[in-house]
């Protein structure tokens, strides 16, 4: 039973959709896009379970494809993106970790013939490292399939995967995807998120980090340690939550506890709980606003942004909610389309000092799963690292991947490492992602022949038997987008998924629903002032930054002073709890909103 009047979204996404309460919930299955006849876009060799291409595969080894198409040294001499900053890549990874975490398993070697799973086509899907490979030992490369979901509602006949986190954009990377997770992340009894030494990321024991005595960062999403750019982006939002909560505390004239009985259970909400939840609401609104209005325009071309109605309204509310829209992550968005960001990964994660000249170069490959860049010496490098990320270009969105991630993914601390592009290609086949041409058709585009790929045509023809075999991930990265954005196939898939995440989210920050809506003044203040640049300024203590942190500054003179960037007008959230502190349970029919109308006094 879902409370129809709840003011706050649940942490696991349950009941966001009152008609279909599990849609988008953590731990539910992913879905497939549907073609124009309503059939799922899925392609297993046997129709239900065997990876596309069969086993052993008739498709080329993914490492061979990667070696042939994606070598950094075969790309343009300057692979820096002239408009997108490294922070675009970093935010993209953070966002991916807000809405998709496919269940995977690990811990055994599928190439080991003595392993009980060795011959199990539902578990192992190894591929070949080619004989002439210059980096990895030729022969069997272990690959463990993402397991098939076996329980849950509406399981299709074909193999489907679980998404362990919510499909909503709900700052799950910060708050987690369950009540238990948020409890562990929140400073006990306060409205603050836990922090570690010197206001840094809190640490926990375990997790496989190589530095800091086996301690790893603790966050709402446990892939945080994958790369330091990701850890830094987590830290920024922990600090932003605590900054805003402290402001709300200062302007709240409350010292009350709200008690209520719901479904026969007694609950108490303290002043701290209310401030925590109100802050969470603002943070989620900021993340949604920044994603759709500042980040996505750096990924998609303008006509796609407009065609899919992705920009927020300039002012006021948006009524587009549809309870029949299933927000759930579409499988191929996760196996391929939103992995476009891997091509943006930079080889280095360096430090730029406040003179904007002095540079210390750190390589990505030496810093995987290692938080030292932002933890060492009480976080003394944080500012310099943030300055570099926001000042230095990302790599171009193209089929080339830097050596750090193509030849050395996780080489530190797990030698010999991996090839992220080869994994992406194999993952697509594992999860039944149809081929590139099928997606062209899905997006209303014509099929491509080898010749249509221009310079890459002979390379593709040297590895694939037919253009209809080309894997989505590699084919779509070979397409050219307007002004360096993703090409038309990924644009269509990314836009469709982000449209679902907006229309299918009852709590979307622009909703006018009187149970939880921001006032018009509040939502307009968020629209006017929420920016990642300002968040970086406030939480990292930078003096100067680019006004749009996803874009490259042309030089230092195009930077703005942090003090000149507007902040959200938090005085609009002044709370004044007085009078009755008893909240009536849902069953009585008295709406929570009624109560909040008198406790939230907008100035
Ligand atoms: C240094 C940066 C990054 C590293 C080291 C990294 C690494 C990885 C790894 C190891 C996987 C799992 C591969 C598999 O087994 O299938 C993965 C998945 C993924 N990555 Fe990244 N990634 C990075 C940046 C990004 C960026 C910038 C984006 C998007 C803009 C992104 C989007 C995704 C998505 C959507 C998945 C699928 C997640 C899932 O299904 O659970 N990643 N990444």
């Amino acid at each position: 039973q879902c409370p129809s009047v709840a003011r706050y979204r649940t942490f696991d996404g349950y009941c966001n959709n009152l008609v279909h309460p599990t849609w988008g919930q953590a731990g539910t299955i992913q879905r497939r896009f549907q073609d124009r006849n309503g059939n799922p876009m899925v392609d297993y060799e046997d129709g239900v379970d065997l990876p596309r291409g069969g086993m052993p595969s008739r498709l080329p080894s993914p490492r061979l494809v990667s070696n042939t198409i994606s070598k950094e040294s075969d790309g343009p001499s300057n692979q820096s993106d002239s408009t997108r900053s490294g922070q675009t890549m970093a935010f993209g990874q953070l966002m991916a970790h807000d809405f998709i975490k496919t269940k995977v398993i690990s811990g055994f070697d599928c190439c080991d013939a003595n392993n009980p799973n060795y011959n199990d086509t539902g578990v192992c899907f190894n591929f070949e490292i080619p004989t002439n490979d210059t980096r990895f030992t030729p022969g069997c490369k272990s690959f463990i399939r993402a397991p098939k979901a076996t329980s849950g509602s509406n399981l299709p006949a074909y193999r489907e995967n679980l998404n362990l986190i919510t499909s909503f954009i709900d700052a799950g990377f910060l708050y987690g995807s369950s009540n238990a997770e948020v409890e562990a992340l929140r400073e006990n009894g306060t409205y603050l998120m836990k922090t570690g030494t010197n206001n840094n990321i809190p640490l926990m024991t375990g997790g496989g980090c190589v530095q800091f005595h086996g301690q790893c960062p603790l966050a709402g999403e446990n892939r945080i340690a994958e790369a330091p750019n990701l850890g830094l982006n987590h830290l920024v939002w922990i600090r932003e939550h605590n900054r805003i909560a402290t402001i709300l505390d200062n302007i709240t004239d409350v010292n009350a506890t709200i008690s209520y009985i719901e479904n026969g259970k007694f609950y108490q909400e303290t002043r701290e709980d209310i401030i925590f939840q109100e802050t969470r609401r603002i943070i989620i609104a900021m993340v949604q606003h920044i994603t759709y209005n500042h980040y996505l325009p750096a990924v998609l071309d303008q006509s796609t942004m407009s065609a899919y109605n992705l920009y927020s309204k300039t002012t006021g509310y948006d009524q587009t909610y549809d309870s029949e829209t299933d927000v759930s992550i579409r499988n191929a968005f996760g196996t391929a389309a939103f992995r476009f960001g891997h091509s943006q990964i930079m080889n280095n994660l360096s430090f730029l000092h406040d003179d904007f000249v002095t540079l210390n170069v750190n390589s990505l490959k030496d810093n995987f799963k290692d938080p030292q860049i932002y933890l060492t010496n009480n976080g003394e490098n944080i500012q310099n690292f943030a300055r570099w990320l926001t000042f230095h270009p990302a790599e171009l969105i193209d089929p080339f991947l830097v050596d750090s991630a193509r030849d050395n993914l996780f080489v530190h601390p797990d030698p010999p490492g991996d090839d992220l592009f080869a994994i992406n290609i194999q993952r697509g086949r594992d999860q039944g992602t149809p081929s590139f041409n099928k997606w062209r058709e899905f997006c209303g585009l014509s099929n491509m022949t080898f010749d249509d790929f221009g310079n890459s045509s002979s390379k593709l023809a040297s590895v694939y038997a037919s253009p209809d075999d080309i894997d989505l991930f590699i084919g779509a990265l070979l397409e050219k987008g307007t002004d360096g954005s993703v090409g038309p196939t990924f644009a269509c898939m990314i836009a469709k998924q982000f449209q679902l995440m907006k229309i299918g989210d009852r709590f979307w920050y622009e909703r006018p629903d009187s149970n939880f809506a921001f006032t018009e003044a509040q939502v307009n203040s968020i629209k006017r002032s929420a920016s990642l640049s300002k968040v970086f300024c406030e939480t990292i203590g930078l003096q100067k930054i680019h006004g749009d942190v996803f874009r490259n500054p042309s030089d230092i003179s195009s930077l703005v002073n942090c003090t000149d960037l507007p902040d959200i007008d938090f005085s609009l959230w002044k709370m004044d709890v007085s009078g009755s502190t008893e909240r009536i349970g849902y069953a009585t029919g008295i709406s929570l909103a009624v109560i909040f109308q008198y406790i939230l006094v907008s100035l």
Side-chain angles (χ1 to χ4, degrees), residues 90 93-94 97 223-235:
Q93 188 179 20
L94 185 76
H97 295 191
R223 288 168 290 183
I224 175 176
E226 259 179 11
N229 51 274
L230 182 60
L232 181 88
N233 273 262
H234 275 270
L235 177 61

Side-chain angles (χ1 to χ4, degrees), residues 118-176:
Y118 181 70
N119 282 320
D120 187 340
T121 57
V123 180
C124 288
F125 181 30
N126 302 328
F127 60 88
E128 276 303 295
I129 301 290
T131 43
N132 60 353
D133 201 283
T134 53
R135 176 67 184 81
F136 299 115
T137 312
C140 181
K141 169 75 186 150
S142 174
F143 186 93
I144 305 177
R145 297 189 68 186
K148 172 185 169 138
T150 51
S151 62
S153 52
N154 299 326
L155 281 185
Y158 53 83
R159 185 181 178 107
E160 194 48 279
N161 303 95
L162 284 178
N163 185 4
L164 298 179
I165 59 179
T166 81
S167 299
F168 301 101
I169 297 184
D170 58 0
F173 57 81
L174 177 59
Y175 303 110

Side-chain angles (χ1 to χ4, degrees), residues 255-406:
N255 206 355
T257 300
I258 296 183
S259 332
Y260 58 102
I261 294 174
E262 189 187 308
N263 296 334
K265 269 176 99 180
F266 178 75
Y267 292 93
Q268 259 193 342
E269 256 175 29
T270 62
R271 178 180 189 277
E272 281 68 27
D273 292 332
I274 297 167
I275 293 175
F276 179 86
Q277 284 283 19
E278 290 299 314
T279 305
R280 172 173 172 248
R281 240 159 55 91
I282 298 172
I283 291 281
I284 294 171
M286 292 170 74
V287 171
Q288 293 187 334
H289 183 77
I290 289 167
T291 302
Y292 280 70
N293 296 285
H294 308 154
Y295 170 73
L296 281 181
V299 173
L300 303 171
D301 57 275
Q302 286 307 308
S303 61
T304 304
M305 285 296 298
S306 305
Y308 288 85
N309 239 330
L310 294 173
Y311 282 115
S312 300
K313 295 201 157 164
T314 323
T315 57
Y317 296 122
D318 173 303
Q319 315 236 25
T320 54
Y321 178 62
D322 172 19
S323 59
E324 290 310 308
T325 294
D326 185 352
V327 69
S328 303
I329 292 295
R330 302 308 193 254
N331 201 303
F333 171 81
T335 56
F338 206 64
R339 296 191 190 207
F340 84 91
H342 289 165
S343 76
Q344 294 186 297
I345 296 175
M346 300 84 73
N347 252 331
N348 298 328
L349 295 175
S350 299
F351 302 149
L352 184 62
H353 294 249
D354 58 4
D355 57 3
F356 289 92
V357 175
T358 314
L359 188 73
N360 301 107
V361 177
N362 309 302
S363 75
L364 170 64
K365 78 175 159 81
D366 293 338
N367 286 282
F368 288 119
K369 297 191 182 170
D370 191 339
Q372 65 171 315
I373 280 188
Y374 52 90
L375 284 182
T376 299
N377 289 340
N378 285 325
E380 69 173 8
N381 299 319
I382 287 176
Q383 280 197 357
N384 293 340
F385 182 37
R387 197 173 291 109
W388 184 84
L389 267 179
T390 59
F391 197 84
H392 185 89
E395 292 283 296
L396 290 167
I397 300 173
D398 65 12
F400 302 102
L401 177 62
V402 291
D403 289 345
S404 273
R406 206 189 71 82

Side-chain angles (χ1 to χ4, degrees), residues 529-542:
S529 307
S531 75
L532 195 58
S533 305
K534 186 65 174 174
V535 173
F536 264 72
C537 287
E538 291 294 328
T539 59
I540 302 288
L542 299 174

